[in-house]
Amino acid sequence: DCGLGFGYSANIGEAQSEGFEFSFAADIADGVKLDGGVGYTNSRITDNGGLATVVEGTRLADVPELSGGLALDISHEFGDVRGYGRIDARYVGESTSAQRNRRPEYALLNLRVGAQFDTFDISLFANNVTDKRANLSDPTELSDSLNLIAINRPRTIGIDVRTRF
């Protein structure tokens, strides 16, 4: 620590990471698609590299044990207009930061409904519908003396207009 909130990092001896990921995509009906996935990661320090402050067997920083997501897409043609909707959710399990602070689990939900016609696409969206403030990181530069964290974007509602040419 140089006294200005910036520190230095050192590598540990060794770590091991094992796990699995499973994903799927299914056309449930005409214009209805469901996709998702889940992941499990068991990541541990196996050799502390001689650093007394590092305990072998400790989970690796910023790596949640469980994570997953699910999305439902619906679309339908109305003459020359294609209407669509999407709902998606993402889950990230609890983890520990590099500063050894607990980072709680969180889930995010997003919604979108729109229409495509001619060369235009217009949609209404709501991201992070539940307005969850997830602890994404507590970087050393921010958190040493101020105990600050980096969070995700708060609830965002808007209109998206696009054109193709």
Side-chain angles (χ1 to χ4, degrees):
D1 187 1
C2 67
L4 299 173
F6 294 91
Y8 103 102
S9 297
N11 289 327
I12 59 166
E14 293 183 25
Q16 181 175 356
S17 185
E18 301 172 323
F20 69 86
E21 291 181 5
F22 171 78
S23 64
F24 68 92
D27 289 325
I28 297 174
D30 188 32
V32 180
K33 181 180 176 183
L34 179 68
D35 61 76
V38 64
Y40 168 79
T41 306
N42 181 8
S43 59
R44 305 275 178 201
I45 296 170
T46 56
D47 176 2
N48 69 5
L51 298 172
T53 58
V54 177
V55 178
E56 291 179 11
T58 301
R59 290 189 55 79
L60 291 181
D62 301 322
V63 180
E65 192 171 48
L66 292 174
S67 62
L70 190 64
L72 178 67
D73 289 292
I74 300 173
S75 65
H76 186 74
E77 302 292 330
F78 299 95
D80 292 341
V81 177
R82 183 177 84 74
Y84 62 91
R86 177 179 174 88
I87 181 170
D88 64 80
R90 182 171 49 122
Y91 169 80
V92 177
E94 180 179 313
S95 65
T96 304
S97 74
Q99 282 68 259
R100 310 308 321 153
N101 294 321
R102 180 182 170 271
R103 293 177 47 211
E105 66 183 3
Y106 64 90
L108 301 175
L109 177 66
N110 303 311
L111 305 171
R112 181 176 293 267
V113 62
Q116 287 180 331
F117 50 95
D118 197 25
T119 61
F120 289 96
D121 183 333
I122 184 167
S123 60
L124 301 171
F125 67 88
N127 292 336
N128 190 9
V129 172
T130 61
D131 202 26
K132 177 68 178 173
R133 299 300 203 281
N135 178 345
L136 302 179
S137 172
D138 57 349
T140 306
E141 301 81 32
L142 297 177
S143 61
D144 277 355
S145 60
L146 301 175
N147 198 28
L148 300 176
I149 63 172
I151 63 170
N152 60 307
R153 183 178 292 182
R155 181 185 303 124
T156 305
I157 300 171
I159 299 173
D160 190 9
V161 179
R162 299 174 186 219
T163 187
R164 294 177 303 280
F165 51 91

